[in-house]
Amino acid sequence: MFRSRLNWIACLASSPGDKAMYSWMRAIVRDLRNQPDGWAFKEPVDREIYPEYYQLITHPTDLKTIASQIKDKVLKTREEFLEEVRRMFANCRTFNAPGSDYHTMADRMETFLKARLLQS
């Protein structure tokens, strides 16, 4: 997606298990949660309200799940972390039509992420 537009060497330079890397991941999740559109990505999509989401989306994820993956050290590199965050936005855009509120929120959140990564 936006990989070609950033200096990924700087963003991804870390060793698996690096405390600074996990701190960086937690800070990114915190900053995403605190964005005006962050509320839409904080929790898993409700299966009872949107069962069709889970028929279409084969690898659902959200900020709560990502935070758990950081805590449990499931995500071992910055690249794995960023893939998971990008997947969250891609899932949202796959399920929601272009121009819809949620599709637009995913675009804005990804734009914020890009800017935030350039600060890292």
Coordinates of all heavy atoms in Angstrom, one line a residue, residues 23-97:
S23 N 7.6 -0.7 22.7 CA 7.2 0.6 23.2 C 6.7 1.5 22.0 O 5.7 2.2 22.1 CB 8.3 1.3 23.9 OG 8.0 2.6 24.4
W24 N 7.4 1.4 20.9 CA 7.0 2.2 19.7 C 5.7 1.7 19.2 O 4.8 2.5 18.9 CB 8.1 2.0 18.7 CG 7.9 2.6 17.3 CD1 8.1 3.8 16.9 CD2 7.3 1.9 16.2 NE1 7.7 4.0 15.6 CE2 7.3 2.8 15.1 CE3 6.9 0.6 16.0 CZ2 6.8 2.5 13.9 CZ3 6.4 0.2 14.7 CH2 6.4 1.2 13.7
M25 N 5.5 0.3 19.2 CA 4.2 -0.2 18.7 C 3.1 0.2 19.6 O 2.0 0.6 19.1 CB 4.3 -1.8 18.8 CG 5.1 -2.4 17.7 SD 5.1 -4.2 18.0 CE 6.3 -4.8 16.9
R26 N 3.3 0.2 21.0 CA 2.2 0.6 21.9 C 1.9 2.1 21.7 O 0.7 2.5 21.7 CB 2.6 0.3 23.3 CG 2.6 -1.2 23.7 CD 2.7 -1.4 25.2 NE 4.0 -0.9 25.7 CZ 5.2 -1.6 25.7 NH1 5.1 -2.9 25.2 NH2 6.3 -1.1 26.1
A27 N 2.9 2.9 21.4 CA 2.6 4.3 21.2 C 1.8 4.5 19.9 O 0.9 5.4 19.9 CB 4.0 5.1 21.1
I28 N 2.1 3.8 18.9 CA 1.4 3.9 17.6 C -0.1 3.5 17.9 O -1.0 4.3 17.5 CB 2.0 3.1 16.5 CG1 3.4 3.5 16.2 CG2 1.1 3.1 15.3 CD1 3.5 4.7 15.4
V29 N -0.3 2.4 18.6 CA -1.7 2.0 18.9 C -2.4 3.1 19.7 O -3.6 3.4 19.4 CB -1.7 0.6 19.6 CG1 -3.1 0.3 20.1 CG2 -1.3 -0.5 18.6
R30 N -1.7 3.6 20.7 CA -2.3 4.7 21.5 C -2.7 5.9 20.7 O -3.8 6.4 20.8 CB -1.3 5.1 22.6 CG -1.9 6.2 23.5 CD -0.8 6.9 24.3 NE 0.1 7.6 23.4 CZ 1.4 7.5 23.4 NH1 2.1 6.8 24.3 NH2 2.1 8.2 22.5
D31 N -1.8 6.3 19.8 CA -2.1 7.4 19.0 C -3.2 7.2 18.0 O -4.0 8.1 17.7 CB -0.8 7.9 18.2 CG 0.3 8.4 19.1 OD1 0.0 8.7 20.3 OD2 1.4 8.6 18.7
L32 N -3.3 6.0 17.5 CA -4.4 5.6 16.6 C -5.8 5.6 17.4 O -6.8 6.2 16.9 CB -4.2 4.3 15.9 CG -3.1 4.2 14.9 CD1 -2.8 2.8 14.5 CD2 -3.5 5.0 13.6
R33 N -5.7 5.1 18.5 CA -7.0 5.1 19.4 C -7.4 6.5 19.7 O -8.6 6.8 19.8 CB -6.7 4.4 20.7 CG -6.7 2.9 20.7 CD -6.5 2.4 22.0 NE -6.6 0.9 22.0 CZ -5.9 0.1 22.8 NH1 -5.0 0.7 23.7 NH2 -6.0 -1.1 22.8
N34 N -6.5 7.4 19.8 CA -6.8 8.8 20.2 C -7.2 9.7 19.1 O -7.6 10.8 19.3 CB -5.6 9.4 21.0 CG -5.5 8.8 22.3 OD1 -6.4 8.3 22.9 ND2 -4.3 8.8 22.9
Q35 N -7.2 9.2 17.9 CA -7.6 10.0 16.7 C -9.1 10.1 16.7 O -9.8 9.2 17.2 CB -7.1 9.3 15.4 CG -5.7 9.4 15.1 CD -5.3 10.9 15.1 OE1 -5.7 11.6 14.2 NE2 -4.4 11.2 16.1
P36 N -9.7 11.2 16.1 CA -11.1 11.3 16.1 C -11.9 10.1 15.5 O -13.0 9.7 15.9 CB -11.3 12.6 15.2 CG -10.1 13.3 15.4 CD -9.0 12.3 15.6
D37 N -11.3 9.4 14.5 CA -11.9 8.3 13.9 C -11.5 7.0 14.5 O -11.9 5.9 14.1 CB -11.5 8.2 12.4 CG -12.1 9.4 11.6 OD1 -13.2 9.8 11.9 OD2 -11.4 9.8 10.7
G38 N -10.6 7.0 15.6 CA -10.1 5.8 16.2 C -11.2 5.0 16.8 O -11.0 3.8 16.9
W39 N -12.3 5.6 17.3 CA -13.3 4.8 17.9 C -13.8 3.6 17.1 O -14.2 2.6 17.6 CB -14.5 5.7 18.3 CG -15.2 6.3 17.1 CD1 -14.9 7.5 16.5 CD2 -16.3 5.7 16.4 NE1 -15.8 7.6 15.4 CE2 -16.6 6.6 15.3 CE3 -17.0 4.5 16.5 CZ2 -17.6 6.3 14.4 CZ3 -18.0 4.2 15.5 CH2 -18.3 5.1 14.5
A40 N -13.8 3.8 15.7 CA -14.3 2.8 14.8 C -13.4 1.5 14.8 O -13.8 0.5 14.3 CB -14.5 3.4 13.4
F41 N -12.2 1.7 15.2 CA -11.2 0.6 15.1 C -10.8 0.0 16.5 O -9.9 -0.9 16.5 CB -10.0 1.1 14.4 CG -10.3 1.6 13.0 CD1 -10.6 2.9 12.8 CD2 -10.4 0.7 11.9 CE1 -11.0 3.4 11.5 CE2 -10.8 1.1 10.7 CZ -11.0 2.5 10.4
K42 N -11.4 0.5 17.6 CA -10.9 0.1 18.9 C -11.3 -1.3 19.3 O -10.5 -1.9 20.0 CB -11.5 1.1 20.0 CG -10.9 2.4 20.0 CD -11.4 3.3 21.1 CE -10.8 4.6 21.1 NZ -11.3 5.5 22.1
E43 N -12.4 -1.8 18.8 CA -12.9 -3.1 19.2 C -13.2 -4.0 18.0 O -13.4 -3.4 16.9 CB -14.2 -3.0 20.0 CG -14.1 -2.2 21.3 CD -13.5 -3.0 22.4 OE1 -13.6 -4.2 22.4 OE2 -12.9 -2.4 23.3
P44 N -13.2 -5.3 18.1 CA -13.6 -6.1 17.0 C -15.0 -5.8 16.5 O -15.9 -5.3 17.2 CB -13.6 -7.6 17.6 CG -12.8 -7.5 18.8 CD -13.0 -6.1 19.3
V45 N -15.3 -6.0 15.2 CA -16.6 -5.8 14.6 C -17.5 -6.8 15.3 O -17.2 -8.0 15.5 CB -16.5 -6.1 13.1 CG1 -18.0 -6.1 12.5 CG2 -15.7 -5.0 12.4
D46 N -18.7 -6.3 15.7 CA -19.7 -7.1 16.4 C -20.3 -8.2 15.5 O -20.9 -7.9 14.5 CB -20.8 -6.2 17.0 CG -21.7 -6.9 17.9 OD1 -22.1 -8.1 17.6 OD2 -22.1 -6.3 18.9
R47 N -20.0 -9.5 15.9 CA -20.5 -10.6 15.1 C -22.0 -10.7 15.0 O -22.6 -11.1 14.0 CB -20.0 -11.9 15.6 CG -18.6 -12.2 15.3 CD -18.2 -13.6 15.8 NE -16.8 -13.9 15.7 CZ -16.3 -14.4 14.6 NH1 -17.0 -14.7 13.6 NH2 -15.0 -14.6 14.6
E48 N -22.7 -10.3 16.0 CA -24.2 -10.3 16.1 C -24.8 -9.3 15.1 O -25.8 -9.5 14.5 CB -24.7 -10.2 17.5 CG -24.3 -11.4 18.3 CD -24.9 -11.3 19.7 OE1 -25.9 -10.6 19.9 OE2 -24.4 -12.0 20.6
I49 N -24.2 -8.1 15.1 CA -24.7 -7.1 14.2 C -24.3 -7.2 12.8 O -25.1 -6.9 11.9 CB -24.3 -5.7 14.8 CG1 -24.8 -5.5 16.2 CG2 -24.7 -4.6 13.9 CD1 -24.4 -4.3 16.9
Y50 N -23.0 -7.7 12.6 CA -22.5 -7.8 11.2 C -21.9 -9.2 10.9 O -20.7 -9.3 10.7 CB -21.4 -6.7 11.0 CG -21.9 -5.3 11.2 CD1 -21.5 -4.6 12.3 CD2 -22.6 -4.7 10.2 CE1 -22.0 -3.3 12.5 CE2 -23.1 -3.4 10.4 CZ -22.8 -2.7 11.5 OH -23.2 -1.4 11.7
P51 N -22.7 -10.2 10.9 CA -22.2 -11.5 10.7 C -21.6 -11.7 9.3 O -20.7 -12.4 9.1 CB -23.5 -12.4 10.8 CG -24.6 -11.5 10.6 CD -24.2 -10.2 11.1
E52 N -22.1 -10.9 8.3 CA -21.6 -11.0 7.0 C -20.1 -10.5 6.9 O -19.4 -10.8 6.0 CB -22.5 -10.2 6.0 CG -22.6 -8.7 6.2 CD -23.6 -8.2 7.3 OE1 -24.1 -9.1 8.1 OE2 -23.8 -7.0 7.4
Y53 N -19.7 -9.6 7.8 CA -18.3 -9.2 7.9 C -17.4 -10.4 8.0 O -16.4 -10.4 7.3 CB -18.1 -8.2 9.1 CG -16.7 -7.7 9.2 CD1 -16.3 -6.6 8.5 CD2 -15.8 -8.3 10.1 CE1 -15.0 -6.1 8.6 CE2 -14.5 -7.8 10.2 CZ -14.1 -6.7 9.5 OH -12.8 -6.2 9.6
Y54 N -17.7 -11.3 8.8 CA -16.8 -12.5 9.1 C -16.9 -13.5 7.9 O -16.1 -14.4 7.9 CB -17.1 -13.1 10.4 CG -16.7 -12.1 11.5 CD1 -17.6 -11.2 12.1 CD2 -15.4 -12.1 12.0 CE1 -17.2 -10.3 13.0 CE2 -15.0 -11.2 12.9 CZ -15.9 -10.3 13.5 OH -15.5 -9.4 14.4
Q55 N -17.9 -13.4 7.1 CA -17.9 -14.2 5.9 C -17.0 -13.6 4.8 O -16.4 -14.4 4.0 CB -19.4 -14.3 5.3 CG -20.3 -15.0 6.3 CD -21.8 -14.9 5.9 OE1 -22.1 -14.2 5.0 NE2 -22.6 -15.5 6.7
L56 N -16.9 -12.3 4.8 CA -16.1 -11.6 3.7 C -14.7 -11.4 4.2 O -13.7 -11.6 3.4 CB -16.7 -10.3 3.4 CG -16.0 -9.4 2.4 CD1 -16.0 -10.1 1.0 CD2 -16.7 -8.0 2.3
I57 N -14.5 -11.1 5.4 CA -13.1 -10.8 5.9 C -12.5 -12.0 6.6 O -13.0 -12.5 7.6 CB -13.2 -9.6 6.9 CG1 -13.8 -8.4 6.3 CG2 -11.8 -9.3 7.5 CD1 -13.1 -7.8 5.1
T58 N -11.5 -12.6 6.0 CA -10.9 -13.8 6.5 C -9.9 -13.6 7.7 O -9.6 -14.6 8.4 CB -10.2 -14.6 5.4 OG1 -9.2 -13.7 4.8 CG2 -11.2 -15.0 4.3
H59 N -9.3 -12.4 7.8 CA -8.4 -12.2 8.9 C -8.8 -10.8 9.6 O -8.1 -9.8 9.4 CB -7.0 -12.1 8.3 CG -5.9 -12.0 9.4 ND1 -5.2 -13.1 9.8 CD2 -5.5 -11.0 10.2 CE1 -4.3 -12.7 10.8 NE2 -4.5 -11.4 11.0
P60 N -9.9 -10.8 10.4 CA -10.3 -9.6 11.0 C -9.3 -9.2 12.1 O -8.6 -10.0 12.7 CB -11.6 -10.0 11.7 CG -11.6 -11.5 11.8 CD -10.7 -12.0 10.7
T61 N -9.1 -7.9 12.3 CA -8.3 -7.3 13.3 C -8.8 -5.9 13.7 O -9.5 -5.3 12.9 CB -6.8 -7.3 12.9 OG1 -6.0 -7.1 14.0 CG2 -6.5 -6.3 11.8
D62 N -8.3 -5.5 14.8 CA -8.7 -4.2 15.3 C -7.6 -3.8 16.3 O -6.7 -4.5 16.6 CB -10.1 -4.3 16.0 CG -10.0 -5.4 17.1 OD1 -9.7 -5.0 18.3 OD2 -10.3 -6.5 16.8
L63 N -7.8 -2.5 16.9 CA -6.7 -2.1 17.8 C -6.6 -2.8 19.1 O -5.5 -3.0 19.6 CB -6.9 -0.6 18.0 CG -6.7 0.3 16.8 CD1 -7.1 1.8 17.1 CD2 -5.3 0.3 16.3
K64 N -7.7 -3.3 19.6 CA -7.7 -4.1 20.8 C -6.9 -5.4 20.5 O -6.1 -5.8 21.4 CB -9.1 -4.4 21.3 CG -9.2 -5.3 22.5 CD -10.6 -5.5 23.0 CE -10.7 -6.2 24.3 NZ -12.1 -6.4 24.7
T65 N -7.2 -6.1 19.4 CA -6.5 -7.3 19.1 C -5.0 -7.1 18.8 O -4.2 -7.8 19.3 CB -7.2 -7.9 17.8 OG1 -8.6 -8.2 18.1 CG2 -6.5 -9.2 17.4
I66 N -4.7 -6.0 18.2 CA -3.3 -5.7 17.9 C -2.6 -5.4 19.2 O -1.5 -5.8 19.4 CB -3.2 -4.5 16.9 CG1 -3.7 -4.9 15.5 CG2 -1.8 -3.9 16.8 CD1 -3.9 -3.8 14.5
A67 N -3.2 -4.7 20.1 CA -2.6 -4.4 21.4 C -2.3 -5.7 22.2 O -1.3 -5.9 22.8 CB -3.5 -3.5 22.3
S68 N -3.3 -6.7 22.1 CA -3.0 -8.0 22.7 C -1.9 -8.7 22.1 O -1.1 -9.4 22.7 CB -4.3 -8.8 22.6 OG -5.3 -8.3 23.4
Q69 N -1.8 -8.6 20.7 CA -0.7 -9.3 20.0 C 0.7 -8.6 20.4 O 1.6 -9.3 20.5 CB -0.9 -9.1 18.5 CG -2.1 -10.0 18.0 CD -2.4 -9.7 16.6 OE1 -2.2 -8.6 16.1 NE2 -2.8 -10.7 15.9
I70 N 0.7 -7.4 20.7 CA 1.9 -6.7 21.2 C 2.2 -7.2 22.6 O 3.4 -7.6 22.8 CB 1.7 -5.2 21.2 CG1 1.6 -4.6 19.8 CG2 2.9 -4.5 21.9 CD1 1.1 -3.2 19.7
K71 N 1.2 -7.2 23.4 CA 1.4 -7.6 24.8 C 1.9 -9.1 24.9 O 2.8 -9.4 25.7 CB 0.1 -7.5 25.6 CG 0.2 -7.9 27.0 CD -1.1 -7.8 27.7 CE -1.0 -8.3 29.1 NZ -2.2 -9.1 29.5
D72 N 1.4 -9.9 24.1 CA 1.7 -11.4 24.0 C 2.9 -11.7 23.2 O 3.3 -12.8 23.0 CB 0.5 -12.2 23.6 CG -0.7 -12.1 24.5 OD1 -0.4 -11.7 25.7 OD2 -1.8 -12.4 24.1
K73 N 3.5 -10.6 22.6 CA 4.7 -10.7 21.7 C 4.4 -11.7 20.5 O 5.3 -12.4 20.0 CB 5.9 -11.1 22.5 CG 6.3 -10.1 23.5 CD 7.6 -10.4 24.1 CE 8.2 -9.3 24.9 NZ 7.4 -8.5 25.9
V74 N 3.2 -11.6 20.0 CA 2.8 -12.4 18.8 C 3.4 -11.6 17.6 O 4.0 -12.2 16.7 CB 1.3 -12.5 18.6 CG1 0.9 -13.0 17.3 CG2 0.7 -13.3 19.8
L75 N 3.4 -10.3 17.6 CA 4.0 -9.5 16.6 C 5.5 -9.3 17.0 O 5.8 -8.7 18.0 CB 3.3 -8.1 16.5 CG 1.8 -8.2 16.2 CD1 1.1 -6.9 16.3 CD2 1.6 -8.8 14.8
K76 N 6.4 -9.8 16.2 CA 7.8 -9.9 16.6 C 8.6 -8.8 15.9 O 9.8 -8.6 16.3 CB 8.3 -11.3 16.3 CG 7.6 -12.4 17.0 CD 8.4 -13.6 17.2 CE 7.6 -14.7 17.9 NZ 7.0 -14.4 19.1
T77 N 8.1 -8.2 14.9 CA 8.9 -7.1 14.2 C 8.0 -5.9 13.9 O 6.7 -6.1 13.9 CB 9.4 -7.6 12.9 OG1 8.4 -7.9 12.0 CG2 10.3 -8.9 13.1
R78 N 8.6 -4.8 13.6 CA 7.8 -3.6 13.2 C 7.0 -3.9 11.9 O 5.9 -3.5 11.8 CB 8.7 -2.4 13.1 CG 9.3 -1.9 14.4 CD 10.2 -0.7 14.1 NE 10.9 -0.4 15.3 CZ 11.0 0.8 15.9 NH1 10.5 1.8 15.3 NH2 11.7 1.0 17.0
E79 N 7.6 -4.7 11.1 CA 7.0 -5.0 9.8 C 5.7 -5.8 10.0 O 4.7 -5.5 9.4 CB 7.9 -5.8 8.9 CG 7.3 -6.0 7.5 CD 8.4 -6.6 6.5 OE1 9.1 -7.5 6.9 OE2 8.4 -6.0 5.4
E80 N 5.8 -6.8 10.9 CA 4.6 -7.6 11.2 C 3.5 -6.7 11.8 O 2.3 -6.8 11.5 CB 4.9 -8.7 12.2 CG 5.7 -9.8 11.6 CD 6.1 -10.9 12.6 OE1 5.7 -10.8 13.8 OE2 6.7 -11.9 12.2
F81 N 3.9 -5.8 12.7 CA 3.0 -4.8 13.3 C 2.3 -4.0 12.3 O 1.1 -3.8 12.2 CB 3.7 -4.0 14.3 CG 3.0 -2.8 14.8 CD1 1.9 -2.9 15.7 CD2 3.3 -1.5 14.4 CE1 1.2 -1.8 16.2 CE2 2.6 -0.4 14.8 CZ 1.5 -0.6 15.7
L82 N 3.1 -3.4 11.4 CA 2.5 -2.5 10.4 C 1.7 -3.3 9.4 O 0.6 -2.7 8.9 CB 3.7 -1.8 9.6 CG 4.4 -0.7 10.5 CD1 5.6 -0.2 9.8 CD2 3.5 0.4 10.9
E83 N 2.0 -4.5 9.1 CA 1.1 -5.3 8.2 C -0.2 -5.5 8.9 O -1.3 -5.5 8.2 CB 1.8 -6.7 7.9 CG 2.9 -6.6 6.9 CD 3.6 -8.0 6.8 OE1 3.0 -9.0 7.1 OE2 4.7 -8.0 6.3
E84 N -0.2 -5.7 10.2 CA -1.5 -6.0 10.9 C -2.3 -4.7 10.9 O -3.5 -4.7 10.7 CB -1.2 -6.4 12.3 CG -2.4 -7.1 13.0 CD -2.8 -8.4 12.4 OE1 -2.1 -9.0 11.5 OE2 -3.9 -8.9 12.8
V85 N -1.7 -3.5 11.1 CA -2.4 -2.3 11.1 C -3.0 -2.0 9.7 O -4.1 -1.6 9.6 CB -1.5 -1.1 11.7 CG1 -2.2 0.2 11.5 CG2 -1.1 -1.3 13.1
R86 N -2.1 -2.2 8.7 CA -2.6 -1.9 7.3 C -3.8 -2.9 7.0 O -4.7 -2.5 6.3 CB -1.5 -2.1 6.3 CG -0.5 -1.0 6.4 CD 0.5 -1.0 5.2 NE 1.1 -2.3 4.9 CZ 2.2 -2.7 5.4 NH1 3.0 -1.9 6.1 NH2 2.7 -3.9 5.1
R87 N -3.7 -4.1 7.5 CA -4.8 -5.1 7.3 C -6.1 -4.6 7.9 O -7.2 -4.7 7.3 CB -4.4 -6.4 7.9 CG -5.5 -7.5 7.7 CD -5.1 -8.8 8.2 NE -4.1 -9.4 7.4 CZ -2.9 -9.7 7.9 NH1 -2.5 -9.4 9.1 NH2 -1.9 -10.2 7.1
M88 N -6.0 -4.0 9.0 CA -7.2 -3.4 9.7 C -7.9 -2.4 8.8 O -9.1 -2.4 8.6 CB -6.8 -2.8 11.0 CG -7.9 -2.1 11.8 SD -7.3 -1.5 13.4 CE -6.3 -0.1 12.8
F89 N -7.1 -1.5 8.2 CA -7.6 -0.5 7.3 C -8.2 -1.1 6.0 O -9.2 -0.7 5.5 CB -6.6 0.6 7.0 CG -6.1 1.3 8.2 CD1 -4.8 1.6 8.4 CD2 -7.0 1.7 9.2 CE1 -4.3 2.3 9.5 CE2 -6.6 2.4 10.4 CZ -5.2 2.7 10.5
A90 N -7.4 -2.1 5.5 CA -7.8 -2.7 4.2 C -9.1 -3.5 4.5 O -10.0 -3.5 3.6 CB -6.7 -3.7 3.8
N91 N -9.3 -4.2 5.6 CA -10.5 -4.9 5.9 C -11.7 -3.9 5.9 O -12.8 -4.2 5.4 CB -10.4 -5.6 7.3 CG -9.5 -6.8 7.3 OD1 -9.1 -7.3 6.3 ND2 -9.2 -7.3 8.5
C92 N -11.5 -2.8 6.5 CA -12.5 -1.8 6.6 C -13.0 -1.3 5.2 O -14.1 -1.2 4.9 CB -12.1 -0.6 7.5 SG -13.3 0.7 7.7
R93 N -12.0 -1.1 4.4 CA -12.3 -0.6 3.0 C -12.9 -1.7 2.2 O -13.7 -1.4 1.3 CB -11.0 0.0 2.4 CG -10.6 1.3 2.9 CD -9.5 2.0 2.1 NE -8.3 1.3 2.3 CZ -7.3 1.7 3.1 NH1 -7.5 2.8 3.8 NH2 -6.2 1.0 3.2
T94 N -12.5 -3.0 2.4 CA -13.1 -4.1 1.7 C -14.6 -4.2 2.0 O -15.4 -4.5 1.2 CB -12.4 -5.4 2.0 OG1 -11.0 -5.3 1.6 CG2 -13.0 -6.6 1.4
F95 N -14.9 -4.1 3.3 CA -16.3 -4.3 3.8 C -17.2 -3.1 3.5 O -18.4 -3.3 3.2 CB -16.3 -4.6 5.3 CG -17.7 -5.0 5.8 CD1 -18.2 -6.2 5.4 CD2 -18.4 -4.2 6.6 CE1 -19.5 -6.6 5.9 CE2 -19.7 -4.5 7.0 CZ -20.2 -5.7 6.7
N96 N -16.7 -1.9 3.5 CA -17.4 -0.7 3.4 C -17.2 -0.1 2.0 O -16.1 0.0 1.6 CB -17.1 0.3 4.5 CG -17.4 -0.3 5.9 OD1 -18.6 -0.3 6.2 ND2 -16.4 -0.7 6.6
A97 N -18.3 0.4 1.4 CA -18.2 0.9 0.1 C -17.4 2.2 0.0 O -17.4 3.0 1.0 CB -19.6 1.2 -0.4

